[in-house]
Amino acid sequence: MKTSLVIGVCAAYERARWSFWDMPAAIVASTYLSHLAHDGATPVAFIPSEATIDSAERLVGTVDGLLLLGGADVDPAMYGEAPDELLEATVPLRDRSEIALVRAAMAQGVPVFGVCRGLHVMNVATGGTLVQDIGVLGDARHRKAPGRLDGPTFHEADVAANSFVADALGAGLTTVNSHHHQAVKRVGSGGRVTAVSPEDGVVEAVEWSERGFALGVQWHPEAADIDGLFRVFLDECRARVSREANVSNQHQQVTEKEPANGNA
C-alpha cells in the first residue's frame, strides 16, 4: 500500500516572473502546496496541453486525487454560450485540459476537489452553465477586495447537512472568503448544491456524491492556515487507496487458492 498520497494538481497557465524571466508559465500557488505538504501528500502538476487532454484517462489513473485551482474565467464556449461583455480573461486550453481530467477522474472514481474556478470547471464538465458576471454582487460581497483573501473578503455561507462540506466545517452558517465574479448558474448533472450565500443565493458549494468524492467550493480554503476541507479531501483519497488495496489483496488470495489447472 502507498505510504504517501499522490495528488494531481491542475496547474494554471499565466504570464509569470521569476529570476530574469517574464513569460507564460505553468504555475501552482504555494498556498495549495502547503496544504498538501501539511498532510504528507505529494503533488504532481498536470500542465494544460493537447497531450494532457489526449492522455487524461491515463494521467488520472496515476494519482490518488485531483485538485483544481482558482484562476481565469471559464470560456463560455465550453458551455455553449456567447461571451458577455463583462467576461474577463480566459485560457481555453486550460479549460479543455481540466474538463478532460475532471471527466476522467469522475469516471474512475478518483476524488476531485475544486476551488473557486475549480468549482466552475467541475460544473461545466458535468453539463452545467455559469453566470458570466454576477454584477454588483461581485464588488459588494464576492470580490470586495481584489488581490486579497483575508478579512475584507469574508462573508457567510449556509452549509447543508449530510454533505462533504458539513463533514469538514459543520452544517449551518460558516465564514468563507471569496474572490470571484462568475458563479454557478445551472448545476451540472448529478450535482447537489450544498452551500449558498444566504444574503444573495450565490452557490457556494456543489458536490457530486454519486461519483464518489467530487466537491467544488466557491471560496478559497487554501488561504486558511489549516482547513478541514483539504483534510476531508485527502482522507477520501486515502480511503479509496485502502479500498483498492483490500480488493487487490482479496483477488490475490482467491487466485492463490485456485488450482493451477482449474480442477479440484
Side-chain angles (χ1 to χ4, degrees):
M1 182 175 176
K2 298 179 181 179
T3 57
S4 175
L5 293 174
V6 177
I7 304 300
V9 182
C10 295
Y13 196 75
E14 303 282 347
R15 193 167 192 90
R17 296 181 62 186
W18 70 99
S19 185
F20 298 100
W21 316 115
D22 182 346
M23 65 180 71
I27 54 177
V28 176
S30 62
T31 47
Y32 298 96
L33 300 178
S34 295
H35 278 278
L36 297 179
H38 178 267
D39 220 358
T42 300
V44 174
F46 287 157
I47 311 302
S49 71
E50 295 295 339
T52 295
I53 296 167
D54 293 340
S55 304
E57 292 183 8
R58 180 177 60 82
L59 291 172
V60 164
T62 67
V63 297
D64 303 313
L66 183 69
L67 176 63
L68 295 101
L69 317 183
D73 286 2
V74 175
D75 185 347
M78 301 297 161
Y79 47 95
E81 293 188 6
D84 183 277
E85 62 180 7
L86 296 177
L87 182 74
E88 297 180 359
T90 63
V91 187
L93 182 61
R94 182 183 177 191
D95 297 338
R96 292 171 53 231
S97 297
E98 293 181 358
I99 288 170
L101 290 165
V102 166
R103 288 174 175 168
M106 288 185 172
Q108 296 179 34
V110 173
V112 184
F113 182 32
V115 172
C116 195
R117 167 195 157 87
L119 164 61
H120 301 164
V121 171
M122 294 172 72
N123 196 56
V124 171
T126 54
T129 61
L130 304 177
V131 179
Q132 293 186 39
D133 183 85
I134 58 176
V136 295
L137 292 178
D139 294 337
R141 185 172 296 114
H142 296 277
R143 193 166 64 178
K144 193 173 181 180
R148 297 175 61 176
L149 291 170
D150 57 358
T153 70
F154 294 161
H155 65 86
E156 288 188 328
D158 192 5
V159 177
N162 302 313
S163 65
F164 296 135
V165 182
D167 290 344
L169 305 178
L173 294 179
T174 190
T175 300
V176 299
N177 54 349
S178 289
H179 193 286
H180 65 101
H181 83 112
Q182 295 198 309
V184 169
K185 183 164 61 175
R186 186 182 73 241
V187 177
S189 177
R192 172 196 171 205
V193 175
T194 55
V196 297
S197 172
E199 296 92 345
D200 50 41
V202 168
V203 173
E204 293 287 345
V206 181
E207 64 184 53
W208 289 261
S209 55
E210 65 182 27
R211 312 292 184 98
F213 180 93
L215 168 66
V217 299
Q218 186 62 83
W219 64 91
H220 284 269
E222 81 283 2
D225 290 337
I226 300 296
D227 185 84
L229 287 170
F230 279 90
R231 174 185 54 77
V232 168
F233 166 55
L234 295 173
D235 283 349
E236 289 288 341
C237 294
R238 289 192 185 87
R240 179 176 178 272
V241 170
S242 179
R243 288 194 300 269
E244 290 195 337
N246 289 337
V247 169
S248 178
N249 289 337
Q250 291 171 5
H251 177 74
Q252 183 177 355
Q253 291 171 6
V254 170
T255 301
E256 290 174 350
K257 290 178 181 179
E258 293 178 349
N261 60 7
N263 296 321

